[in-house]
Amino acid sequence: MTTQQPRDDGDMIDRLDAGDPPSSPEEAEARAPYVRLIQLIRELEDAAPPAGWEKRSADRWSAARARRRKRSAVGVAAGVGLAVAILLPLCLKRTAERAFQVAISERPGVRRHVGPGDHAVGDVLHARAPVDQTHVELRVYLSSPRADRLIVRCPGSEPCRRAASSIEVDWTLTEPGVYRVVKLSSDSAIPPPTDGTIDRDLLEVRDAGAHSEIEVVKVVQ
Amino acid sequence: MDEEIRAALRRGDVDGAFLLVQRAYGTAINAICYRILKEASAAEDAMQQTLIAAFGSRTQLLGVDNIRSWLMRTASRKCIDTLRLWQRTGRMQHDVSNGCDGAAVDHGGALALFAAEEVKRELVVCLLALGRDLAALVLMRYHDGMSWEEIAEIVGDPPDAIRMRVNRGALQRIRACLEAKGITL
């Protein structure tokens, strides 16, 4: 194994600087003054900045922190606003999905002589009841000069549809009268319809502890 | 000190951590910036920027092994940026001293050094005798621990050329200067 000998002081300092070990006792001895010199240079103390620097630095830090906090607050407010803008429609949609809904679609081409809030024969009733308890029913009662009767019971009637989380029905309003769309819900069994009149049925249902919601649709000729 | 800083950060005391970093490393950061920028106000500004940047996020310093080295590198980068800005805008550095004069002998201020002991005061005199630019190179390498590549980026010369100026010129002249003053290393 051969060891490289430094040619001069410069070469020796380069080897020292590179972390190479001395190649001989003579080199170690020759290096010593430079080792001490470098150690002295390393030990020199840095002069402090002009008086008051610590306060100036701390003041600038405080100002920077305040700006950051302000930006954060604005960012949080913007974030909250954005979240509300995004989540509110979703919440409303979810709320809407949870709600008992009744809507009427008008049949095109029908001459309408109905007052505000009234509907015409031939329009279609759309009802939707979310299944939010173990037992849910959707019923439509018609009160007319001729009779009071139950005309739709879901589930059970032909036009009823069962979706994943709701019961739905579309029913063409074929005669004038007052249609009462009822959603019944309970964790225990809901009593079946009695003689078909809404008043008696609702009494039975309430006595059984079920909950009822009613929407009224008035249909004219 | 680094552990104290990290402990303050871990308990969420960012202001306390800032003051600890400032106290421990503010002077060194300022000195390295002064040696690069040669202006007291610009050096102090760069030092403040470095300290604030260190707390850009609360957890930044928690992931740093050697806070002093990290700060020094950050400071030198900021100073290089400042130098480049000055070059783009045509601004000249205000070099207060480029030789050995009485004021510098007293406190090493031209190199942002403070030497209380006799030998170190003479060392500062010999450093200044090199001229401020060459002395700054010696200090960046052997006092601030910067690599030749880092120094080259500041100076704009090749690393090997700078190494030769320092190792094959400056250190031998400093040794000769000290020996002429009766100081044997």
Side-chain angles (χ1 to χ4, degrees):
Chain A
M1 177 180 168
T2 59
T3 49
Q4 191 180 354
Q5 292 287 333
R7 293 185 301 272
D8 53 29
D9 273 11
D11 194 28
M12 182 184 65
I13 294 168
D14 276 344
R15 286 168 47 75
L16 172 65
D17 179 41
D20 295 338
S23 57
S24 63
E26 293 74 22
E27 186 188 349
E29 192 179 344
R31 273 185 182 194
Y34 291 104
V35 171
R36 283 195 290 274
L37 175 58
I38 289 168
Q39 183 63 30
L40 268 180
I41 293 170
R42 193 172 292 133
E43 288 172 358
L44 287 171
E45 290 177 54
D46 291 312
W53 72 274
E54 286 178 304
K55 183 179 184 313
R56 289 193 295 278
S57 174
D59 288 349
R60 188 165 173 183
W61 164 245
S62 298
R65 281 271 276 172
R67 278 197 301 276
R68 277 180 197 166
R69 283 192 187 116
K70 193 174 174 184
R71 278 201 299 270
S72 297
V74 170
V76 167
V80 168
L82 185 63
V84 167
I86 292 168
L87 294 177
L88 187 59
L90 292 175
C91 292
L92 289 174
K93 188 180 175 198
R94 286 198 70 182
T95 304
E97 283 171 356
R98 282 194 207 118
F100 168 43
Q101 295 171 318
V102 175
I104 306 293
S105 58
E106 295 178 353
R107 193 175 64 170
V110 172
R111 291 186 62 157
R112 314 184 69 79
H113 303 284
V114 300
D118 290 347
H119 300 279
V121 170
D123 289 349
V124 179
L125 178 151
H126 308 279
R128 179 181 178 279
V131 180
D132 47 10
Q133 286 190 271
T134 312
H135 301 273
V136 175
E137 277 193 27
L138 194 57
R139 297 179 188 176
V140 181
Y141 294 86
L142 170 62
S143 299
S144 70
R146 285 189 286 173
D148 287 350
R149 66 184 193 276
L150 174 66
I151 55 173
V152 179
R153 183 187 178 200
C154 296
S157 300
E158 192 180 352
C160 299
R161 296 191 307 276
R162 178 67 190 255
S165 59
S166 63
I167 299 169
E168 296 171 14
V169 66
D170 297 331
W171 185 261
T172 302
L173 304 167
T174 54
E175 56 186 293
V178 176
Y179 291 78
R180 289 182 173 83
V181 186
V182 182
K183 178 205 167 192
L184 303 172
S185 55
S186 177
D187 284 331
S188 52
I190 296 170
T194 53
D195 58 0
T197 63
I198 186 169
D199 292 340
R200 176 125 183 242
D201 285 356
L202 287 181
L203 281 174
E204 293 281 335
V205 164
R206 284 168 192 164
D207 286 347
H211 178 69
S212 64
E213 294 174 67
I214 303 173
E215 291 285 339
V216 178
V217 176
K218 188 178 173 188
V219 176
V220 295
Q221 193 67 47
Chain B
M1 178 55 78
D2 283 10
E3 267 317 302
E4 280 182 63
I5 293 163
R6 290 190 189 99
L9 286 171
R10 282 193 203 99
R11 62 174 182 269
D13 182 10
V14 182
D15 289 332
F18 180 88
L19 292 176
L20 286 171
V21 170
Q22 178 183 273
R23 194 178 308 145
Y25 304 120
T27 294
I29 295 168
N30 180 77
I32 196 171
C33 290
Y34 185 71
R35 287 193 274 273
I36 295 170
L37 298 172
K38 303 175 184 174
E39 278 194 26
S41 60
E44 188 172 335
D45 180 61
M47 177 262 288
Q48 291 173 0
Q49 285 185 44
T50 302
L51 292 175
I52 290 169
F55 292 86
S57 77
R58 188 173 70 82
T59 55
Q60 183 170 239
L61 284 184
L62 288 175
V64 172
D65 282 340
N66 184 325
I67 292 178
R68 186 184 194 279
S69 297
W70 187 88
L71 288 168
M72 290 302 180
R73 280 200 306 277
T74 305
S76 60
R77 298 250 169 246
K78 287 206 172 294
C79 295
I80 291 168
D81 289 345
T82 302
L83 280 178
R84 286 179 180 155
L85 178 68
W86 288 356
Q87 284 162 2
R88 280 201 303 274
T89 57
R91 181 181 156 175
M92 302 299 291
Q93 286 169 273
H94 176 63
D95 194 345
V96 294
S97 169
N98 199 27
C100 184
D101 59 39
V105 171
D106 284 344
H107 50 65
L111 291 171
L113 293 173
F114 173 78
E117 300 163 37
E118 179 66 26
V119 173
K120 289 178 183 170
R121 277 206 296 273
E122 296 300 339
L123 173 58
V124 171
V125 171
C126 291
L127 275 165
L128 286 166
L130 296 172
R132 184 173 164 167
D133 287 346
L134 185 53
L137 297 182
V138 172
L139 291 170
M140 285 178 205
R141 174 63 186 157
Y142 291 112
H143 181 71
D144 302 325
M146 296 171 73
S147 69
W148 296 116
E149 287 73 20
E150 286 171 324
I151 300 169
E153 196 174 357
I154 295 165
V155 177
D157 289 338
D160 282 347
I162 298 165
R163 180 174 52 76
M164 288 186 70
R165 286 170 67 192
V166 172
N167 286 354
R168 293 171 183 265
L171 289 184
Q172 294 171 57
R173 284 172 60 189
I174 294 169
R175 182 185 173 189
C177 174
L178 288 171
E179 286 177 350
K181 292 173 181 292
I183 298 169
T184 305
L185 291 168

